[in-house]
């Protein structure tokens, strides 16, 4: 089994990569290979490669095939020696190996063996170097820099060739995480991007004169066993998402701008985010399923890829309908600032996105978690074990039922929800569908049929909400275009009627169907949201205002200091209240205990005395109890005072240490929050309330007007409080002025915010 990464190298980084590789001992080899396949390309269709390659002076015959995930490849090599003539290709040389048996099945036909023909050739200069990765994920990795070309139709007028410039990292032995660590370091340092295109595939494209390949769509996960545990489910699902994402990302990074490839990559990212969110509980071992680290770059790439594509797609759908309704001709994207956004290739080649891809690929190939080596005299901490097969199925069934209930509930009141809530319903429905697709292969035959019916029922609802979202995006786009072209007002005023013109009445939106597969009960179908006609879009009078302001690092630092001071003051007040309560209660409790102790002691002694001597014991014990009471009554105040003094001295020693620890923890927390808040903030003011989007947050905070309790005016910011935020000493911030938009427009938006709020600024 071969485990390797392959990266494409930008032309301007080749010299730097070669120089970095030559810092160690390298071996230079010329590789001249010939690739073989059947006339109908059976091997290529099955993901197999059969080649004969001259490595220096030796000939090597190799067969390769795709493995379980993006890292694994089946491979078998046969050294043919240093023959002067070119050896003949012979598939029998691989007989008895897993990949050889797979090859043999493909080359057998009803009429006998299928002949092989040479398809293309390569001429590569390879520099190889072994690198040792030390630490917990120790490994030895072979790095190979390949520079050359792939040639098809050699010696004919149709000759075509494709340049090769790539870096391969193959795990020789050791931990996969060592390979991942090295791959992440090199890809970040040199701007490399992960590639799924093999040299054989390059040649096949040259033979077919194919400049563009079809986008890769989603496929169900492939589980290695009938009853996988939690980690195996996570790895199989992530591998399924990567199987859709990686080929499309590879093409886009190489320069393709095919709309469907971008679309399928975004679907793959959305499916992966669903997996990260819904499958986290299957295995809680630290450092493996690291959704918190993977999520932000995925969100950033998803939004960047969708910003331009969504707008273009909406225009393609809306313009013909508006033209049919008599709208004047104009281009709503003319002068659009979104047109200056990074290209899809730039987004995919970004270091953060490539870093996440490498980490995810490494996760799918990871074996059992390894604990850190224990110190002297210490036992190694045991990592939490993944859920077993039965527990994993129960958890997945619970997640499906929970999402199903939420979606049904929201579907019943969909038209009464605000815009943000409707958008959340759409995203939740997608998560429900993707999760159902992930787990469908885990069900028995009867449940699989139910799963297919359930997924079939989800699709019309998702299509309806997709249409609804397209109309909402279109209205926002045309409303934005009115600032550049007055003709866009026709679309703003008439888009709800124009876009629905000629549409057939919607069928009954409520139907009965089974719940999610495996639930064992009937419930309202999740597709109970409007099935064809979405709710009416808001008319122009429901105008929304948007405020944009930038939070500078120095502002964030000042806010962090102020927040730290407030939290420390609150901590000190709570400590003082607790200390005062202890000072009140402890003396009373000690007094009661001291007075009750003699009675309890005598009662216990009496209970264990033999019956014949209890009468004599009773008189003596009564006298002893009275004397003890008198002694304790006399010395009670001194004893209580002594114990209280011990407690006070203990508190004087401990309190500064604890306060210092609390201060450090609070400082880390507020500093991290302040760092994440640096950047552009967006506040959307609508009739329903506020939507506040922070720079590094995956979703906006929605605050209905009725939940806003007060606004506090500061020196440079307004602080917005709700009952929930006040409980934790938090608030939302809105700057008093902004350099990100026109001053008059920003001031008008602020006045609208203050006028719509239930209390005036400056209140306490």
């Amino acid at each position: 089994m071969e485990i390797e990464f392959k990266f494409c190298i930008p032309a301007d980084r080749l010299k730097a990569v070669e120089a970095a590789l030559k810092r160690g001992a390298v071996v230079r080899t010329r590789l001249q290979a010939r690739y073989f396949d059947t006339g109908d390309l059976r091997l290529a269709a099955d993901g197999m490669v059969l080649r004969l390659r001259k490595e220096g002076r030796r000939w090597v015959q190799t067969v390769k095939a795709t493995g379980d995930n993006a890292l694994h490849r089946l491979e078998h090599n046969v050294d043919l020696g240093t023959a002067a003539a070119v050896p003949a290709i012979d598939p029998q040389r691989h007989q008895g190996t897993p990949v050889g048996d797979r090859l043999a099945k493909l080359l057998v036909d009803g009429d006998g063996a299928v002949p092989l023909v040479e398809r293309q050739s390569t001429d590569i200069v390879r520099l190889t170097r072994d690198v040792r990765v030390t630490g917990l994920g120790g490994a030895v990795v072979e790095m190979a820099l390949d520079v050359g070309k792939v040639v098809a139709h050699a010696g004919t007028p149709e000759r075509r060739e494709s340049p090769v410039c790539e870096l391969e990292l193959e795990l020789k032995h050791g931990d996969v995480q060592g390979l991942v660590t090295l791959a992440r370091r090199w890809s970040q340092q040199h701007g490399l991007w992960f590639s799924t295109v093999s040299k054989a595939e390059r040649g096949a494209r040259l033979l077919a004169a194919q400049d563009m390949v079809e986008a890769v769509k989603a496929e169900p996960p492939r589980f290695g066993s009938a009853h996988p545990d939690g980690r195996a489910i996570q790895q199989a699902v992530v591998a399924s998402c990567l199987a859709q994402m990686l080929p499309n990302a590879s093409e886009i990074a190489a320069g393709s701008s095919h709309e469907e490839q971008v679309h399928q990559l975004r679907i793959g990212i959305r499916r992966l985010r669903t997996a990260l969110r819904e499958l986290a509980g299957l295995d809680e071992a630290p450092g493996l399923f690291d959704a918190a680290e993977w999520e932000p770059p995925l969100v950033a790439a998803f939004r960047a890829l969708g910003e331009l594509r969504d707008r273009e797609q909406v225009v393609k759908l809306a313009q013909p309908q508006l033209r049919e309704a008599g709208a004047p001709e104009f281009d709503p994207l003319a002068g659009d600032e979104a047109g200056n956004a990074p290209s899809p290739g730039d987004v995919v080649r970004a270091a953060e996105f490539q870093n996440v891809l490498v980490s995810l690929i490494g996760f799918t190939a990871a074996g059992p978690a390894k604990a850190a080596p224990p110190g002297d005299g210490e036992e190694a901490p045991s990592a939490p074990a993944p859920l077993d097969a039965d527990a994993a199925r129960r958890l997945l069934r619970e997640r499906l039922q929970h999402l199903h209930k939420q979606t049904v509930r929201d579907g019943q009141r969909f038209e009464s929800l605000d815009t943000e809530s409707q958008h959340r319903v759409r995203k939740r429905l997608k998560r429900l569908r993707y999760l159902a697709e992930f787990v469908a292969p885990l069900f028995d035959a009867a449940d699989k049929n139910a799963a297919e019916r359930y997924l079939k029922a989800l699709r019309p609802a998702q299509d309806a909400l997709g249409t609804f979202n397209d109309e909402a995006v279109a209205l926002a786009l045309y409303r934005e275009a009115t600032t550049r072209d007055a003709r866009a007002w026709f679309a703003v005023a008439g888009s709800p009627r124009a876009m629905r013109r000629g549409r057939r009445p919607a069928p009954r939106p409520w139907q009965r169907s089974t719940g999610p597969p495996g639930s064992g009960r009937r419930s309202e179908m999740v597709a109970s949201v409007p099935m064809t006609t979405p709710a009416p879009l808001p008319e122009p009078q429901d105008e929304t205002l948007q405020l944009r302001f930038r939070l500078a690092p120095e502002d964030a630092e000042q806010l962090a200091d102020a927040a730290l001071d407030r939290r420390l003051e609150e901590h000190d007040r709570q400590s003082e209240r607790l200390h005062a309560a202890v000072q009140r209660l402890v003396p009373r409790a000690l007094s009661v205990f001291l007075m009750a102790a003699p009675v309890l002691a005598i009662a216990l002694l009496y209970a264990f005395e033999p019956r014949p001597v209890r009468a004599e014991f009773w008189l003596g014990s009564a006298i002893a109890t009275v004397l003890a009471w008198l002694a304790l009554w006399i010395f009670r105040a001194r004893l209580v005072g002594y114990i209280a003094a011990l407690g006070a001295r203990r508190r004087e020693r401990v309190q500064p240490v604890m306060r210092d620890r609390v201060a450090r923890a609070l400082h880390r927390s507020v500093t991290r929050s302040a760092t994440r808040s640096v950047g552009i903030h967006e506040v959307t003011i609508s009739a329903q309330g506020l939507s506040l989007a922070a720079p590094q947050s995956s979703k906006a905070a929605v605050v209905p007007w009725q939940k806003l309790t007060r606004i506090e005016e500061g020196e440079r910011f307004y602080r917005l409080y709700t009952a929930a935020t006040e409980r934790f000493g938090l608030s939302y911030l809105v700057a008093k002025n902004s350099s990100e938009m026109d001053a008059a427009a920003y001031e008008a938006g602020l006045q609208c915010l203050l006028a719509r709020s239930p209390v005036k600024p400056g209140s306490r």
Side-chain angles (χ1 to χ4, degrees):
M1 179 75 74
E2 180 186 64
I3 301 179
E4 71 173 19
F5 281 102
K6 180 166 61 180
F7 295 100
C8 281
I9 305 173
D12 59 342
R13 298 295 302 170
L14 176 58
K15 290 184 178 180
V17 172
E18 185 175 352
L21 192 68
K22 288 182 176 179
R23 289 173 189 161
V26 299
V27 177
R28 184 180 186 277
T29 310
R30 185 180 181 186
L31 307 176
Q32 296 171 289
R34 302 181 179 190
Y35 290 81
F36 297 83
D37 203 338
T38 62
D40 54 2
L41 303 179
R42 293 188 184 185
L43 303 189
D46 197 60
M48 298 193 71
V49 173
L50 180 62
R51 77 175 179 219
L52 191 63
R53 186 166 72 183
K54 187 178 183 182
E55 302 178 1
R57 299 179 60 188
R58 306 188 69 83
W59 288 93
V60 178
Q61 181 175 306
T62 301
V63 61
K64 293 185 178 184
T66 54
D68 297 332
N69 55 57
L71 273 184
H72 286 149
R73 292 183 67 88
L74 299 174
E75 180 175 349
H76 183 244
N77 298 290
V78 179
D79 191 339
L80 304 181
T82 58
V86 179
I89 193 75
D90 185 3
Q92 295 298 319
R93 294 182 178 126
H94 306 288
Q95 189 175 7
T97 65
V99 67
D101 295 340
R102 183 169 159 184
L103 174 65
K105 291 179 181 178
L106 289 176
L107 297 181
V108 174
D109 204 347
D111 299 332
V114 180
L116 293 168
V117 295
E118 183 178 338
R119 304 294 300 178
Q120 69 264 357
S121 62
T122 62
D123 192 354
I124 304 292
V125 174
R126 168 172 289 183
L127 297 179
T128 57
R129 169 188 165 192
D130 286 346
V131 176
R132 183 176 297 276
V133 181
T134 59
L136 183 60
V140 174
V141 179
E142 181 187 77
M143 303 184 67
L145 173 62
D146 288 352
V147 179
K149 58 186 177 182
V150 179
V151 181
H153 302 296
T156 68
E158 293 82 17
R159 173 190 169 93
R160 302 185 69 190
E161 63 180 50
S162 173
V164 174
C165 184
E166 58 192 27
L167 180 69
E168 295 182 1
L169 290 82
E170 181 180 349
L171 181 65
K172 305 301 288 186
H173 58 80
D175 195 333
V176 172
Q177 292 308 312
L179 172 65
V180 171
T181 301
L182 188 65
R184 290 173 60 173
R185 185 164 69 240
W186 278 71
S187 65
Q188 287 184 337
Q189 288 178 350
H190 301 290
L192 314 181
W193 68 86
F194 186 83
S195 174
T196 60
V197 184
S198 66
K199 299 178 183 69
E201 187 173 350
R202 291 176 187 270
R205 295 182 186 182
L206 292 176
L207 288 169
Q210 186 179 23
D211 296 326
M212 184 71 65
V213 296
E214 293 295 324
V216 176
K217 298 184 178 181
E219 294 289 341
R222 293 185 298 175
F223 298 102
S225 66
H227 302 285
D229 64 10
R231 184 177 303 174
I233 293 175
Q234 287 178 337
Q235 290 177 320
V237 171
V238 171
S240 172
C241 298
L242 290 177
Q244 179 183 15
M245 290 172 56
L246 293 176
N248 293 309
S250 178
E251 297 299 324
I252 295 169
S256 172
S257 57
H258 195 282
E259 288 185 359
E260 186 62 17
Q261 289 172 345
V262 175
H263 179 53
Q264 291 301 323
L265 175 57
R266 294 186 72 228
I267 291 176
I269 294 175
R270 192 185 292 119
R271 294 174 73 237
L272 179 58
R273 291 177 60 196
T274 297
L276 297 181
R277 180 168 182 171
E278 302 297 336
L279 307 184
L282 295 176
D283 183 8
E284 297 182 353
L288 287 176
F289 198 72
D290 198 351
E293 179 184 349
W294 298 336
E295 180 89 4
L298 292 172
V299 172
F302 180 83
R303 289 178 176 174
L305 290 171
E307 184 175 355
L308 187 58
R309 181 193 179 275
D310 286 348
R311 298 163 78 90
E312 291 176 346
Q313 286 295 106
V314 163
V315 169
K316 287 182 179 179
L317 295 173
Q319 284 291 91
Q321 298 180 40
L322 290 171
R323 192 177 298 113
E324 186 179 331
E329 287 292 335
F330 75 101
D331 183 5
L333 296 180
D336 185 11
E337 293 182 358
N340 300 323
S343 68
D346 293 335
V347 173
V348 173
R349 290 190 296 267
E352 296 81 4
F353 185 70
Q354 289 295 320
N355 187 45
V356 170
L357 290 184
V358 172
S359 299
L360 288 165
I361 295 169
F363 168 74
T364 62
K370 295 182 180 179
D376 295 339
E378 297 180 359
E379 292 185 1
S382 58
L387 297 183
D388 60 31
D390 293 336
R393 284 169 60 92
R394 283 195 300 271
L395 178 63
L396 293 172
R397 195 174 289 119
E398 290 172 1
R399 290 303 305 158
L400 278 172
Q401 292 172 357
H402 177 70
L403 286 173
H404 179 88
K405 288 180 181 178
Q406 284 185 314
T407 310
V408 169
R409 179 200 63 198
D410 293 337
Q412 293 171 342
R413 57 193 179 101
F414 183 79
E415 295 187 5
S416 64
L417 297 176
D418 57 55
T419 304
E420 288 293 331
S421 299
Q422 289 175 338
H423 186 52
R424 284 199 298 271
V425 174
R426 175 173 168 264
K427 292 193 293 186
R428 186 178 295 123
L429 181 61
K430 286 180 179 291
R431 292 208 313 272
L432 176 62
R433 175 189 167 186
Y434 295 146
L435 182 59
E437 289 176 342
F438 292 154
V439 304
L442 296 174
F443 292 111
D444 298 330
D447 282 339
K448 283 183 180 178
N449 293 332
E452 292 176 0
R453 292 194 300 271
Y454 185 72
L455 288 170
K456 186 177 180 180
L458 289 177
R459 291 187 183 99
Q462 189 170 344
D463 292 342
L465 290 183
T467 302
F468 175 82
N469 183 70
D470 288 344
E471 292 188 0
V473 172
L475 184 57
L477 172 64
Y478 287 113
R479 184 170 289 165
E480 178 185 325
T482 58
T483 61
R484 303 187 299 270
D485 194 327
R487 290 173 292 182
W489 280 112
F490 184 95
V492 173
S495 60
R497 294 186 295 275
M499 291 182 183
R500 290 193 291 271
R501 179 168 295 177
R503 187 173 295 173
R504 297 170 58 187
R508 285 180 59 86
W510 305 100
Q511 300 181 15
R512 301 289 295 181
S513 178
T514 56
S519 62
R521 59 181 177 82
R522 297 184 66 84
S523 63
E524 293 290 343
M525 189 182 74
V526 72
S528 57
V529 296
M531 299 292 289
T532 301
T533 303
L537 291 174
E539 297 296 334
Q541 58 264 28
D542 295 333
E543 187 68 57
T544 61
L545 296 176
Q546 190 172 63
L547 303 179
R548 290 168 55 87
F549 63 93
R550 180 181 295 276
L551 188 66
E554 54 270 19
D555 292 333
E557 185 176 352
Q558 293 177 3
L559 292 171
D561 293 340
L564 180 61
D565 292 340
R566 288 197 306 273
R567 293 196 183 186
L568 285 176
E569 290 174 3
E570 180 63 24
H571 174 264
D572 292 340
R573 285 195 296 270
Q574 291 180 355
S575 298
E576 289 301 326
R577 287 197 294 268
L578 179 61
H579 179 60
V582 170
Q583 284 184 320
R584 287 195 311 271
L585 296 176
V586 168
R588 298 177 184 177
L590 282 173
S591 298
V592 173
F593 174 75
L594 291 174
M595 299 304 295
V599 177
L600 293 174
I602 296 301
L604 289 173
L605 291 173
Y606 180 78
F608 289 100
E609 282 293 333
R611 186 176 297 275
V613 298
R614 282 187 177 180
E616 300 176 3
F617 177 80
W618 175 253
L619 179 60
S621 63
I623 295 171
T625 302
V626 172
L627 294 175
W629 272 345
L630 289 174
L632 290 173
W633 181 260
I634 295 171
F635 296 105
R636 173 180 59 86
R638 293 185 180 181
L639 285 172
V640 170
Y642 177 71
I643 295 174
L646 287 178
R649 286 197 296 271
R650 172 70 176 173
R651 179 173 180 268
E652 289 175 358
R653 291 196 304 269
V654 172
Q655 187 176 21
V657 177
M658 294 303 297
R659 191 183 188 280
D660 183 59
R661 291 181 180 177
V662 170
R664 288 201 300 269
L666 289 175
H667 183 268
R668 287 195 299 269
S669 175
V670 298
T671 302
R672 188 162 52 245
S673 299
T675 302
R676 288 199 298 264
S677 67
V678 172
I680 295 179
H681 294 245
E682 295 183 355
V683 181
T684 303
I685 306 171
S686 66
Q688 292 78 25
L690 299 173
S691 173
L692 302 101
Q696 299 185 34
S697 177
S698 59
K699 58 183 179 182
V702 179
V703 181
W705 291 117
Q706 59 270 25
K707 291 189 177 181
L708 189 63
T709 57
R710 67 188 176 98
I711 296 180
E712 180 179 299
E713 183 176 1
E715 182 180 353
R716 300 182 61 184
F717 296 93
Y718 291 107
R719 295 182 179 276
L720 283 61
Y721 293 90
T722 66
T725 60
E726 285 197 277
R727 190 180 308 120
F728 298 101
L730 304 174
S731 64
Y732 299 106
L733 296 177
V734 178
K736 285 189 170 183
N737 49 61
S738 171
S739 60
E740 298 299 321
M741 56 185 297
D742 180 70
Y746 190 82
E747 180 63 26
L750 274 182
Q751 294 304 317
C752 177
L753 167 62
L754 301 179
R756 298 291 295 271
S757 63
V759 290
K760 296 299 180 184
S763 64
R764 291 285 177 181

